[in-house]
Amino acid sequence: MQGFPPESERMEAWLDDNVDFAHSYFVRKASREMVNAWFAERVHSIQPSREGSKALPEPLSSLPPSGPTEAPSPSPAPSTPTRKISASEFDRPLRPIVVKDAEGSLTFLSDTERVQMPPPTSQKLSSGEGPDEAGGRGGDRCARLLELVRDVSSHLDLTALCHRIFLHTHELIAADRYSLFLVCEDSSNKKFLVSRLFDVAEGSTLEEASNSGIRLEWNKGIVGHVAATGQPLNIKNAYEDPRFNAEVDQITGYKTQSILCMPIKNHRDEVVGVAQAINKRCGENSTFTEQDEKDFSSYLAFSGIVLHNAQLYETSQLENRRNQVLLDLASLIFEEQQSLEVLLRKIAATILSFMQAQECTVFIADGETSNAFSSVFHMEYEELAGSMEFPNRDGDVSKINYMYAQYVKNTMEPLNIPDVTKDQRFPWTSENPDSGNYHVKSLLCTPIRNGKKDKVIGVCQLVNKMDEATGEIKAFNRNDMQFLEAFAIFCGLGIQNTQMYETVERAMAKQEVTLEVLSYHASAAEEEARALQVTAAATIPSAQSLRLQEFSFSDFDLSDAETTQATIRMFVDLKLVQNFQMKYKNLCQWILSVKKNYRKNVAYHNWRHAFNTSQCMFAILRSGGLQNNLNDLEILALMIATLSHDLDHRGVNNSFIKRSDHPLAQLYCHSIMEHHHFDQCLMILNSPGSQILSGLSLDEYKTTLKMIEKAILATDLAVYMKRRAEFFELTKNSQFVWEIDCHRDLLRSMLMTACDISAITKPWPVQKRIAELVATEFFEQGDKERRELNIEPIDLMNREKRDKIPSMQVSFIDAICTQLYETLASMSDSCSPLLEGCRKNRQNWKLLAEQGDEPGLLNGGL
């Protein structure tokens, strides 16, 4: 008693002499904190009394040790993946994975949660004796109670703990049936009760007692009422209480008479569970006494703290598992850094499997356009069990509503819509149900940020969360949002790293191609350019003498020098030299450089083909009557594009480039060679001495380059097949308007194809000779496919199928050529010779096909 006044010693001596009063005062006045302090100081030093030990029921001593004394299960090896689990296991209030820091950025680090302790509350602790009971008997009861509490204090496993509480409760109050319910919350903080023990009797084993999981609504029934109010209920006759539900009795045939229902509270005086005892085994009318109520309450006061600790331990384990899952998923993402498509598939498959959603769509933001996405990857839950081959999602992606993803991208905040049909925040929710929104019920959308977290590089969108038990669609909860936000951080790092890797790969591939080109090509020699300039200044044959304005023109009688002179003549007659202040020296240097950059070892796609394509464009402009409908910049772009449209052609098509894993295939996703042709065109135009566009203003220069690029890309027959229907429809319905830019662009593309395949319109002897050149080139590619790729070439490339050449020519004319030339002829009668030549050649090829001749010829238009 050091530190207390002298009166305290006399008071303590008086309390020692009046044990009954001291005990009564302690029961009435002691706070929970006082009890906890007393327990903390003495529980480990108190030895169980003999009487208390003998009073323990046999099942208690026969239980196997549990809690922390049990040997921990071996943890999986680091290389062993965590077992597959679902987000539904975490459907409870867990600490957030990510939080916002002072600057508003998401972070995994958070301040330590500070728990505000409630003010001390009065808690009565009964020793289990009445006013007339002797102090010795009260001490025995108290010692036995503390022994029971100490037995459960070290338990952290909830299932084993609840079973121990049941055994101890049976020893204290001796009822016939017991139930124990724990308070649970879902991710939306809605409370409910779940049974850990239900209607168990004496002798029930741990396994038998734990086979329950009944869910009760909050504040409903006797148990729900006790949980909601925090007040105990001692019911003498259950059937007279309106809150009693007799359905269990009717099912089991058991008769419930009396009920003692007690709240279980933690150290903050919050209800964490409810314990219920049914039908007192002995006593008057099988009812529970006031002493039973006191003993039950005293024991549960300590059990509540132990239960709360066990729940905290279970929650911490769950959070640890959740974080481990997140790390495993992050590891899975960072395993793939080479292909964005493979990475997106892993992201979608992982999220679908874990979140139990029907669909997952990952949108990749376009770095150059603020309101667009450069690519979209869509995956559905049913595809998880399919093959790892990438599905063709073109048809499905067109039905995806991009508005939610665009909204999230702009706001940089997640979006969770429990029911899309009832959400009125977005105007598109009330659109036509056939618009692709009809199947969407619930939706969760979150931004994917870059490493600095200051920019949205993508959006992850989940549709329709499925209930694992029923398969019904339900809303995404707060835990889903938390997990997806955390996972999106790793996704952002993975996507950014992969994009950087692909950028480096493209740069390296481009460098390799550039070095290859530069090693093969070089600009034309100044002496050669000067000689051509001198010749041009002296005399250049007229277009009439060279027959450049005729659709039946053939270059076979011209030398290479004459083709370059003829090219100058076309530029001069179209007034391109005068209108754009071209220097003759630069024009000669450019023409010779273009000629030099066509490979001489390619049978057909060489300088002669480019020159013939350019001559056909010249004839269409001059003789076809289209020069007056196009402006000077358009004419300039078309002439440059026709001469450059096959620069550095290797004698193989795009399909071969892809299948052979050529570096060019890594640079472009479509129209591979056409993009390469334009790059070469741009390189020559920017080379010193070949800058024929130097007289243009900056705006004219940009416009011309854009038209050249579109014109060269239009020579890809795949592009032509996609766009021609629109052109044919416009002209057929007389809806083509010269003043509309997109119509003019469409016409320029069609003119490029018409000139590129114009060999099919030439006189029959010329057509046959050109077809031989095409056949030679195609058969060489077929031989390469057999030799290098070990595949059987298609009939077009197979020299063993020479007998099918005439019939394939007829098919080519019907599928590609005829309708194009018919449309051009309808726009200008002066272009009719193209159509007439095409039809005549079709008749000749058809005749050869019927005769079964094998001329070894292939179509001259590819």
Side-chain angles (χ1 to χ4, degrees), residues 759-818:
I760 204 70
T761 68
K762 300 298 182 181
W764 177 241
V766 177
Q767 158 64 184
K768 287 178 62 178
R769 188 171 173 182
I770 294 176
E772 280 286 358
L773 296 175
V774 178
T776 300
E777 183 176 311
F778 279 11
F779 290 158
E780 287 178 357
Q781 175 177 327
D783 296 340
K784 284 184 177 181
E785 290 177 351
R786 281 198 181 96
R787 182 174 62 254
E788 299 176 13
L789 305 182
N790 196 27
I791 61 175
E792 185 68 15
I794 61 175
D795 292 349
L796 198 64
M797 313 285 180
N798 194 344
R799 64 174 71 249
E800 296 176 1
K801 301 293 180 70
R802 299 171 66 91
D803 57 315
K804 294 185 178 180
I805 290 177
S807 61
M808 287 190 291
Q809 280 293 96
V810 174
S811 299
F812 173 77
I813 293 172
D814 291 342
I816 305 295
C817 310
T818 302

Side-chain angles (χ1 to χ4, degrees), residues 247-267:
E247 290 182 0
V248 177
D249 282 7
Q250 295 172 3
I251 295 173
T252 62
Y254 182 82
K255 175 68 173 179
T256 301
Q257 181 64 36
S258 59
I259 298 177
L260 180 58
C261 197
M262 286 282 185
I264 306 174
K265 299 182 180 180
N266 61 14
H267 65 284

Side-chain angles (χ1 to χ4, degrees), residues 173-174 279-289 292:
I173 60 176
N279 293 353
K280 175 77 172 177
R281 280 193 169 184
C282 57
E284 188 175 348
N285 299 324
S286 298
T287 59
F288 296 96
T289 64
D292 292 332

